[in-house]
Amino acid sequence: MGIVKTAKLIYDYIRYDENEKEETFRAIDGVDLEVEPGQFIAVLGHNGSGKSTLAKHLNALLVPSEGTVWLDNMDTRDDSHIWDIRQEAGMVFQNPDNQIVASVVEEDVGFGPENLGVETPEIWKRVAKSLEGVGMTAYRKHSPNKLSGGQKQRVAIAGVVAMQPKCIILDEPTAMLDPNGRKEVLKVVHELNREEKVTVILITHYMEEVTDADYVYVMDHGKVVMKGTPREIFSQVETLKAYRLDVPQVTLLAHELKESGVDVPDGVLTTGELVDALCRLN
Amino acid sequence: MLKDITIGQYYPADSAIHKLDPRVKIITTVIYIVSLFVTNDWIGYLAAFLFLAACIKVSKVPLSFILKGMKSIAFLLGITVVFNLIFTPGEEVLVTFWKITITEKGLEMAVRMAIRLSFLIVGTSLMTLTTTPNQLTNALERLMKPLSFMLPVHEIAMMMSIALRFIPILMEETDKIMKAQMARGADFETGNIIVRIKNMVPLLVPLFISAFRRANDLAMAMEARCYHGGAGRTQMKPLSYRGNDWVAYGVMWGYLAVCIVLRIVF
Ligand SMILES: Nc1ncnc2c1ncn2[C@@H]1O[C@H](COP(=O)(O)OP(=O)(O)OP(=O)(O)O)[C@@H](O)[C@H]1O
Ligand SMILES: [Mg+2]
């Protein structure tokens, strides 16, 4: 079994309307997910499609209304494993300010290991290594308030890495960042995946960020509506548009060219590929 | 404009006092305050003055910086002095004008009070100036540990350190909301105090909503990082006494002894 697996996952939010009457809202509707160790998975979806709700299930912040979620063979509904699950599946959230706890960068990175009861010298080692990994060692004594968005997000990632997770779930980590910050964060995440073999589940609605993923899930209205390699997904430009997702510019250009009769392949992901394809034409 | 307010100001410097264990500094400050009220004669005040002056010298914090912090409390100090001056009854009347009499005793009380309060304020600000807010909360947690059977000590300390982290963020946000509303014609600067307070209300609503959202996010992020209270938690920077800390304790007890002796002798 994979490191993350969900089977027929359903989640209902309970809301109260004006008359205090209870009504349920199905945010996740029968999702099956299977992630192998070391993979880089992307989850795409428009606002309100249920991505965050899904993410919160993967480290037991929410438990399913129906169906099951397993993390490394542990059922998230099993209370006795809840801290093991949260240690193994680290989570990075969207707003960098609202997830940094301490007033000094290094102390924030140490927060997770402290909670796990790691011995003091080992905490220091882990903090040094994690900060090194995200390239923030120079800022270890700084206050998080003085960092840029991308730097804060890298600190948040270091805070998760210091807990030595097997899997990291990032819920739109770049949504509040400028293009440079976005690049910094993605670079760090890819390095973690490649060098430390950490499984990554990246939730996003920027299509450019998923072209390097091993596998992509597209969600809409709580359901997984498309899945496949980035190339398979991006070759279906019309379908993606129907789910209100913007295709990367190159892919779109290639698609339009093809529509108007130029012989280029489907699912072009990079500018280089398109250039190659176009050069081969004559 | 709100950014100018700094709570728990810290003056970074490389001094023996900065390097002391925060617990030493808290306890010494408390003892110092007690000593100010134990002494009631001028030689005692002289001892307190010398002790404080020595501490300031060692701390490498410029005197002007400390006195700047006193400005905000000068008003309070003034009121206390005036009250002592005019409301202390006594035999020997110094001056009388328009129903107010100032007695010799009143004058003496006022001067004593002024001395005590300014020493107290300078002493406490020396502590906060040489100790980071984090060290302070850490030390408070350790010092209050014996009370944990009746107080949620760890939780209080955690709340304090989170508050310290979010105060600047919320200040900045208040500034932003204020500017946004000012750009749309809101007026925070004219009118009497009642009008001004009324004008602040539309500021508070978005601020509270945002604070609650942040609190919610932060709670979730902490849970996701396995936070589950103080039980089973280790510390990255545990407090431990070193040589200098014992020396400092020694100096402190010595000072207290001097104060007590002075009190008995004179
Ligand atoms: N606490 C809640 N109570 C009730 N309904 C909720 C709650 N949180 C989310 N929802 C609803 O569940 C649906 C899915 O929300 P979710 O946050 O998972 O979407 P998302 O894909 O992460 O969106 P976004 O891109 O905006 O982050 C939305 O329609 C939302 O309104
Ligand atoms: Mg979301």
Side-chain angles (χ1 to χ4, degrees), chain B residues 43-137:
Chain B
I43 190 136
Y45 294 139
L46 183 67
F49 172 77
L50 290 177
F51 181 71
L52 190 59
C55 288
I56 293 175
K57 185 91 188 81
V58 176
S59 76
K60 293 187 187 160
V61 182
L63 189 63
S64 58
F65 198 85
I66 299 176
L67 295 180
K68 213 166 58 189
M70 291 216 25
K71 253 193 273 172
S72 52
I73 320 184
F75 177 67
L76 209 69
L77 194 70
I79 289 189
T80 333
V81 169
V82 169
F83 267 65
N84 269 296
L85 200 59
I86 58 181
F87 289 126
T88 317
E91 313 269 281
E92 319 224 346
V93 176
L94 287 182
V95 257
T96 317
F97 60 92
W98 190 64
K99 283 187 190 164
I100 295 174
T101 51
I102 293 178
T103 61
E104 198 187 296
K105 192 126 177 280
L107 185 64
E108 197 191 318
M109 281 293 276
V111 173
R112 277 175 195 275
M113 213 48 180
I115 292 176
R116 278 180 182 159
L117 281 183
S118 24
F119 284 7
L120 186 151
I121 295 163
V122 172
T124 349
S125 42
L126 189 65
M127 173 184 75
T128 53
L129 285 168
T130 57
T131 321
T132 63
N134 266 1
Q135 286 179 320
L136 274 184
T137 40

Side-chain angles (χ1 to χ4, degrees), chain A residues 19-73:
Chain A
N19 312 320
E20 311 234 327
K21 240 179 59 199
E22 205 178 284
E23 50 177 28
T24 59
F25 176 83
R26 187 150 290 191
I28 303 270
D29 192 1
V31 167
D32 293 303
L33 206 69
E34 174 128 33
V35 180
E36 296 300 329
Q39 271 188 317
F40 193 113
I41 300 292
V43 179
L44 278 171
H46 194 72
N47 290 115
S49 55
K51 306 181 299 285
S52 299
T53 312
L54 175 65
K56 284 172 198 164
H57 276 87
L58 304 185
N59 71 349
L61 288 172
L62 290 175
V63 288
S65 303
E66 284 170 46
T68 317
V69 177
W70 290 276
L71 197 117
D72 203 11
N73 295 322

